[in-house]
Amino acid sequence: MSGAIALAHPDLLRIVTAGSVDDGKSTLIGRLLYDTKSIMQDQLDDVAALSGRRGVDGLDLSLLTDGLRAEREQGNTIDVAYRYFATPRRRFVLADTPGHVQYTRNMVTGASTANASIVLVDARKGVLEQTRRHAFIASLLHVSHLVICINKMDLVNWSERVYHDIVEEFSRFAGRIEIADVTFIPISALEGDNVVQPSTRMPWYTGPPLLCHLERVQIAAEHNLLDARFPVQLVIRDAASDYRGYAGRMASGALRPGDEVVVLPGGRRTTVSAIETFDGSLEEAAAPLSVTMRLAEDVDVSRGDLICRVDNRPAVVGELDAMVCWMSQQPLNDGRRFVVKHTTRTVPVVTAEIVYCIDVNTLHRDESVGELALNDIGRVRLRLAAPLAVDAYRRNRATGSFIVIDEATNETVAGGMVLAGTPNPAGRERERSTNVVWSPSTLTRAERWRSLGQSGATLWLTGLPASGKSTLATEIERRLVTAGRAAYRLDGDNLRHGLNGDLGFDVASRAENVRRTAHVAALLADAGAVAIVSLVSPYATDRAAARAVHEQLDVPFIEVFVDTPLEVCERRDPKGLYAQARRGEIQTFTGISDPYEVPEAPEARVAGHGSTIEDQVAQVIAALERVAPRSD
């Protein structure tokens, strides 16, 4: 009975192969496919013809994969080739990755979903840089099982000494990285020794051949069955029937109807009312099933939100502390802007810091490096424009991984693994206490606002220096207070005299300036006041992050773009800063040597030139009344 069950439901093992060029990877894969009878007859005929022979003896098995690889290498990009084969014990998906150093990114792609990694070592050459690189990537991506196949043993006369020397050298390296299971197998892919059948020419090796070992690898315990994570991919609505469902794929764990859940990053609680598929309702949805989930309450859920249990939730973060493998010719350095794709959510980011780069040969951490070059692996901090719900990668691959995309080219430039929950490098990041808990007021917001007779909000005035933001903010504050409405102006220059006095004007400091100001404004708005922020805030990413801070507190955020032409601002130049920038005395000045990213869809767009201050104030206050009227 157990055998029948094994045949009907064989385990699926995902394998990634790696190794340096000419280590014999293609021949090994061909041998596995050939000896497991996973090759169609027409493929055999083609390989026989290319090998110059018509029989099965003397086939060049590397041609089974090299033909595909040569075809791929004709294009502009190199992708991972997947091969499928099966034995009575198990099914296999084998990701074949190129061995060239410049295609290290493909090792990352293939290993990201793998349970096991086969790294080939040429017995004549021993452990090379690519061997260490691929092993380190496998450990970084938490591939649990690593198989070191010491190939071409036939070319070293089946030497036991050569085998043990390589085992000893690699074991020293493996002891410094996190790999749970390392197995060494001496093979000859060309001759077939220890690939599928045991070798008679290496009697000193008493372990199983490669295929037998792969059939026995245990992976059931590696699946995350504890953390229920459901990233929403699509909102399904039917106005006629008032149907609302949320489609997506269970990333990990399981959910059932009746489970109390929370929707992140917003934090709204509700209950799962039903779980549906095309074939009908389910009593449970477990990873990796794709389902449509319905909720008991009509809460605001959008693509990119994540549904999880109330008592088991990921961290909601505004920054990513992560390890990344850099895959672009253009290096990564501080201040660069990208987009991060995490599960189904896409968020703009700015590089806050390159913490260190790792030398894959020595595993030395170089903290003096200012950038990551192609194929470099390093630790970085990325500041997010909107919060993400993440787990540490070591705990949950699905919600602990992400990719980094260049918006200009739509190119994937990095793969990343979240390091949430790991210690910060000493002295490199702001210390954050781990024992602080938000202390809620006994007075609800509704009670406070009702008592004040007004609702709070933030007016965020952005524009070029000398566009007229401060003048407008000052007049708005006077008008609102005179009319009996609590309001307070947060001017950028004033804040730099105190709260933000320690910040400069580089990209990272500007982002931190906006972040601090946004939190202060959001607290004022929560209290029922109108916070009037006057800040250049030149980058769309930073303004989006400020909006996200308010969305987390569920208070209105009204972006006001004071639209004044650069030549008008420069002509005004009340502080003489434009003149200094033109003379090169200020290195990073918005509008001259630094860009200003115009808001795409502000709640109000005010002409800072050619209109009266009265008209400008009226326009902004009208926008305020639409979003946050004085009385609820």
Side-chain angles (χ1 to χ4, degrees):
M1 177 65 74
S2 61
I5 293 174
L7 284 169
H9 304 285
D11 289 334
L12 175 65
L13 182 69
R14 296 182 179 275
I15 311 167
V16 60
T17 61
S20 297
V21 179
D22 296 329
D23 277 351
K25 184 160 52 67
S26 299
T27 304
L28 174 62
I29 296 170
R31 173 63 65 180
L32 281 170
L33 297 174
Y34 180 74
D35 286 359
T36 56
K37 302 186 183 340
S38 302
I39 306 171
M40 304 297 290
Q41 186 59 48
D42 59 340
Q43 291 178 289
L44 280 176
D45 292 341
D46 289 342
V47 171
L50 289 169
S51 302
R53 303 179 66 94
R54 290 295 176 183
V56 294
D57 294 331
L59 288 175
D60 184 353
L61 295 176
S62 68
L63 297 175
L64 287 168
T65 55
D66 275 345
L68 177 59
R69 181 174 295 105
E71 179 182 336
R72 294 200 313 271
E73 290 182 354
Q74 295 301 315
N76 294 324
T77 60
I78 302 294
D79 205 349
V80 179
Y82 291 91
R83 295 290 187 173
Y84 306 85
F85 65 100
T87 69
R89 289 178 175 270
R90 169 169 268 171
R91 293 178 298 146
F92 300 90
V93 178
L94 193 151
D96 176 19
T97 63
H100 300 75
V101 175
Q102 62 265 38
Y103 301 134
T104 298
R105 60 185 180 272
N106 297 94
M107 170 61 182
V108 176
T109 302
S112 63
T113 57
N115 310 114
S117 174
I118 299 174
V119 178
L120 268 78
V121 176
D122 188 326
R124 299 168 302 172
K125 302 175 183 177
V127 178
L128 303 176
E129 178 180 347
Q130 276 295 78
T131 311
R132 298 186 183 93
R133 181 185 298 275
H134 289 156
F136 179 68
I137 291 174
S139 73
L140 193 65
L141 292 166
H142 288 268
V143 179
S144 301
H145 308 280
L146 183 64
V147 184
I148 305 299
C149 285
I150 302 173
N151 191 26
K152 303 187 180 182
M153 291 297 297
D154 53 311
L155 299 182
V156 294
N157 199 29
W158 316 102
S159 170
E160 182 179 5
R161 168 52 54 194
V162 171
Y163 168 76
H164 284 298
D165 286 346
I166 294 174
V167 169
E168 183 179 348
E169 181 180 0
F170 186 86
S171 295
R172 287 196 299 269
F173 177 78
R176 302 171 61 191
I177 58 180
E178 295 183 36
I179 299 180
D181 174 34
V182 182
T183 301
F184 298 91
I185 302 177
I187 68 170
S188 171
L190 182 66
E191 301 291 339
D193 290 72
N194 278 342
V195 178
V196 173
Q197 300 297 330
S199 173
T200 59
R201 292 180 279 199
M202 291 180 282
W204 44 265
Y205 173 74
T206 58
L210 175 61
L211 183 61
C212 181
H213 172 75
L214 295 176
E215 287 178 327
R216 296 175 182 177
V217 167
Q218 299 296 316
I219 62 171
E222 298 172 16
H223 299 296
N224 188 318
L225 305 176
L226 178 64
D227 303 320
R229 305 287 188 260
F230 182 74
V232 176
Q233 184 172 359
L234 178 67
V235 178
I236 303 174
R237 298 187 62 184
D238 180 18
S241 61
D242 198 30
Y243 178 93
R244 184 191 293 262
Y246 307 102
R249 179 182 178 184
M250 287 296 302
S252 60
L255 287 172
R256 302 172 183 85
D259 285 347
E260 187 180 6
V261 295
V262 60
V263 182
L264 300 177
R268 300 168 296 279
R269 296 191 181 193
T270 183
T271 303
V272 177
S273 62
I275 298 173
E276 301 167 340
T277 68
F278 182 79
D279 297 320
S281 299
L282 298 177
E283 291 302 317
E284 180 184 78
L289 193 63
S290 295
V291 298
T292 296
M293 197 165 297
R294 301 185 66 184
L295 304 177
E297 285 80 29
D298 187 14
V299 297
D300 181 20
V301 182
S302 304
R303 172 182 169 84
D305 286 348
L306 185 138
I307 298 173
C308 62
R309 297 183 189 277
V310 170
D311 56 354
N312 179 346
R313 61 178 77 183
V316 178
V317 300
E319 287 185 354
L320 287 178
D321 178 16
M323 296 295 298
V324 301
C325 178
W326 191 247
M327 307 175 184
S328 174
Q329 295 284 353
Q330 188 173 359
L332 172 68
N333 41 46
D334 290 353
R336 287 198 62 186
R337 294 171 179 274
F338 302 96
V339 168
V340 156
K341 188 176 189 303
H342 172 262
T343 63
T344 58
R345 190 173 180 86
T346 303
V347 174
V349 299
V350 62
T351 309
E353 182 182 14
I354 310 295
V355 182
Y356 57 73
C357 179
I358 295 179
D359 185 319
V360 296
N361 280 306
T362 65
L363 300 183
H364 171 70
R365 298 178 178 182
D366 185 356
E367 298 187 3
S368 65
V369 68
E371 63 182 28
L372 296 183
L374 177 65
N375 293 325
D376 276 351
I377 297 170
R379 185 172 182 172
V380 303
R381 284 197 307 111
L382 303 174
R383 184 167 294 119
L384 304 167
L388 288 177
V390 302
D391 290 296
Y393 184 83
R394 66 173 59 246
R395 178 184 179 93
N396 195 326
R397 273 187 171 188
T399 51
S401 59
F402 60 90
I403 60 173
V404 183
I405 302 170
D406 187 328
E407 279 189 295
T409 63
N410 206 32
E411 174 191 8
T412 298
V413 295
M417 289 70 68
V418 177
L419 296 176
T422 58
N424 292 329
R428 294 302 302 262
E429 300 185 32
R430 293 189 304 273
E431 291 294 329
R432 296 183 180 182
S433 177
T434 58
N435 58 355
V436 294
V437 178
W438 183 269
S439 176
S441 172
T442 58
L443 186 66
T444 67
R445 178 185 297 158
E447 291 171 335
R448 181 184 290 110
W449 287 8
R450 186 166 54 249
S451 176
L452 293 172
Q454 70 173 60
S455 56
T458 289
L459 292 169
W460 192 279
L461 278 61
T462 175
L464 288 167
S467 60
K469 299 182 302 299
S470 295
T471 302
L472 178 57
T474 301
E475 187 59 22
I476 292 171
E477 179 187 41
R478 190 185 67 80
R479 297 283 181 91
L480 290 175
V481 172
T482 301
R485 188 165 188 177
Y488 193 82
R489 178 175 62 97
L490 298 173
D491 184 79
D493 278 4
N494 293 353
L495 291 172
R496 285 185 177 273
H497 278 82
L499 177 68
N500 298 336
D502 60 325
L503 299 177
F505 290 90
D506 57 280
V507 172
S509 294
R510 286 183 185 275
E512 177 63 13
N513 186 36
V514 170
R515 189 191 71 84
R516 294 182 191 178
T517 305
H519 279 281
V520 173
L523 290 174
L524 285 174
D526 183 48
V530 177
I532 310 165
V533 175
S534 172
L535 211 61
V536 174
S537 46
Y539 303 121
T541 300
D542 298 338
R543 297 194 299 268
R547 186 183 293 274
V549 168
H550 288 73
E551 289 175 348
Q552 282 186 286
L553 282 179
D554 196 24
V555 292
F557 180 88
I558 303 163
E559 186 177 39
V560 179
F561 174 37
V562 182
D563 187 2
T564 307
L566 174 62
E567 58 271 17
V568 174
C569 296
E570 191 167 359
R571 190 163 58 245
R572 291 173 177 172
D573 201 13
K575 304 173 187 176
L577 300 179
Y578 279 99
Q580 293 181 51
R582 290 293 187 189
R583 292 194 300 268
E585 298 171 7
I586 300 177
Q587 297 301 316
T588 55
F589 189 77
T590 302
I592 303 298
S593 51
D594 252 21
Y596 177 81
E597 298 173 0
V598 175
E600 292 184 359
E603 280 75 12
R605 189 185 195 102
V606 174
H609 174 68
S611 63
T612 66
I613 189 67
E614 289 77 12
D615 290 341
Q616 296 172 14
V617 171
Q619 190 176 347
V620 175
I621 292 180
L624 173 65
E625 289 297 326
R626 285 195 301 270
V627 176
R630 173 161 183 166
S631 296
D632 289 329

